Structure formats: C-alpha cells, structure tokens
C-alpha cells in the first residue's frame, strides 16, 4: 500500500506564494497548486477548505516572511539615517522588475480587502516606523513621526518608480531616500 504524499504546510504555502507572486492572486487555484507542490487537489481542499482560506493563509505566510526580514534588517542596520536607507533598500530588493511589481499591487489589493490581512499590514507599519524612527534617535529636532514619514516616502518611491522604471529599482529607491534624508536634515541644521 502506498502512503499518500505529505508536505508541511510551510512548503505548500511557499509554492502557493510563488504562484501568486508570479501570476497574481487569481492564479492560485487548488489545481495549479496541486501541480506546483505535488499534492492532490483533494488533499489541498481538505487542508485549506476553500480558495479564500488558501489565499488568506498564503498571504499570512508572506506577511510572516516580511516580518522576519524586517526584524532581521532592523536589527542589523546601523541606527543612523544611512541605516534607515539601508534597511528600506534591502526591503526593496524583493520587488523585482516592473511585471513583478505590478503583480505585487494585485496582492496588495487582496491585503486591503481582508480585515485580517489589513491588520497585519497595520502591525507591520508600526514595527517598520518604529525601526526607522530608531535610526533617527540621535538626530536632533526630528519630527516624532519621522519613521512613518520615511516609510511613506519609501512606499511612494516604489510607486513612482513603477510608472517610469528607467533604472534599477533599488538604485531609484536609494537615490530617492537619500534626497528625503537630505531634505529633512536641511530643515534641521
């Protein structure tokens, strides 16, 4: 008697995330995931119950990864404005090319539609803002919300790059963030 294949949820969710990242949230079906991970569609339905639950679990898995990466980068970045730039440039590396960035916007739409995922985004915003603010702790006269201001500028730079991706994303982001820090520092001589 042959035992059915089993895979930990983490491996299945990684395969599901790759599908979403490559082709958008609508590409995630039990059939496509079964082909990608080697489990049967019936096994996947037993585990995840519905496409909506599979999508939510996959995106929560992605948030877990982003949380870990943010914590790691925040812990290793120097506690300086240059360290804040380093942290955000490193977070930008996963955005990929323009096609990947466009698919990421479709994923963001899913996050915004689901209150559980939206709450994860809000929690990440707080953690990232605090980490960035910590990089400005020794800079006098910074606004109390400098971390959120810088995170907002970073998110804006990602969006503006996508409209005119004439150079590599991380180079664009780094240049934009350096200009932001210079502008904020100029107002506080």
């Amino acid at each position: 008697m042959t035992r059915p294949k089993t895979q930990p949820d983490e491996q299945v969710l990684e395969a599901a995330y790759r599908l979403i990242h490559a082709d958008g949230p609508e590409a995630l079906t039990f059939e496509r995931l079964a082909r990608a991970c080697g489990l049967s569609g019936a096994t996947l339905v037993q585990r995840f119950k519905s496409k909506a639950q599979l999508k939510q679990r996959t995106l929560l898995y992605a948030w877990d990864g982003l949380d870990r990466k943010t914590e790691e980068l925040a812990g290793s970045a120097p506690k300086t404005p240059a360290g804040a730039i380093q942290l955000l440039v490193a977070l930008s590396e996963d955005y990929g090319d323009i096609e990947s960035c466009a698919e990421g916007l479709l994923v963001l739409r899913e996050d915004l539609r689901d209150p559980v995922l939206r709450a994860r985004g809000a929690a990440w915003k707080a953690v990232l803002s605090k980490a960035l603010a910590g990089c400005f702790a020794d800079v006098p006269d910074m606004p109390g919300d400098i971390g959120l201001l810088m995170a907002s500028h970073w998110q804006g730079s990602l969006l503006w790059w996508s409209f005119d991706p004439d150079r590599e994303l991380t180079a664009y982001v780094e240049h934009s963030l350096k200009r932001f820090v210079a502008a904020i520092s100029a107002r506080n001589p």
Side-chain angles (χ1 to χ4, degrees), residues 19-48:
L19 283 172
I20 287 177
H21 192 68
D23 299 318
E26 297 310 312
L28 182 59
T29 64
F30 285 115
E31 181 182 340
R32 285 192 69 188
L33 182 56
R35 284 195 305 267
C37 73
L39 296 176
S40 73
T43 298
L44 294 171
V45 170
Q46 268 186 318
R47 267 193 207 186
F48 299 103

Side-chain angles (χ1 to χ4, degrees), residues 18-157:
R18 282 194 308 271
L19 283 172
I20 287 177
H21 192 68
D23 299 318
E26 297 310 312
L28 182 59
T29 64
F30 285 115
E31 181 182 340
R32 285 192 69 188
L33 182 56
R35 284 195 305 267
C37 73
L39 296 176
S40 73
T43 298
L44 294 171
V45 170
Q46 268 186 318
R47 267 193 207 186
F48 299 103
K49 309 296 182 230
S50 69
K51 182 177 176 181
Q53 285 187 20
L54 171 61
K55 191 183 300 181
Q56 184 187 64
R57 291 267 316 271
T58 301
L59 295 177
L60 287 170
Y61 169 80
W63 276 113
D64 290 344
L66 183 57
D67 288 343
R68 282 189 302 275
K69 185 171 185 175
T70 302
E71 182 180 343
E72 175 187 308
L73 291 169
S76 64
K79 301 302 179 233
T80 63
I85 292 170
Q86 177 184 320
L87 188 162
L88 293 174
V89 169
L91 284 174
S92 303
E93 291 171 352
D94 291 340
Y95 281 76
D97 63 7
I98 188 61
E99 290 302 317
S100 182
C101 188
E103 294 301 337
L105 290 174
L106 292 175
V107 173
L108 179 60
R109 181 186 74 171
E110 298 302 317
D111 285 332
L112 295 174
R113 288 177 165 177
D114 182 326
V116 172
L117 297 169
R118 203 168 46 244
R120 283 299 294 270
W124 180 67
K125 174 186 83 170
V127 167
L128 180 61
S129 296
K130 182 177 179 182
L132 293 171
C135 292
F136 287 86
D138 292 336
V139 180
D141 300 322
M142 282 290 119
D145 61 348
I146 185 64
L148 180 58
L149 290 171
M150 190 168 191
S152 298
H153 182 84
W154 169 61
Q155 287 291 294
S157 72

Side-chain angles (χ1 to χ4, degrees), residues 146-168:
I146 185 64
L148 180 58
L149 290 171
M150 190 168 191
S152 298
H153 182 84
W154 169 61
Q155 287 291 294
S157 72
L158 294 169
L159 180 64
W160 294 126
W161 170 85
S162 68
F163 284 116
D164 190 19
D166 61 348
R167 64 176 146 164
E168 195 249 337

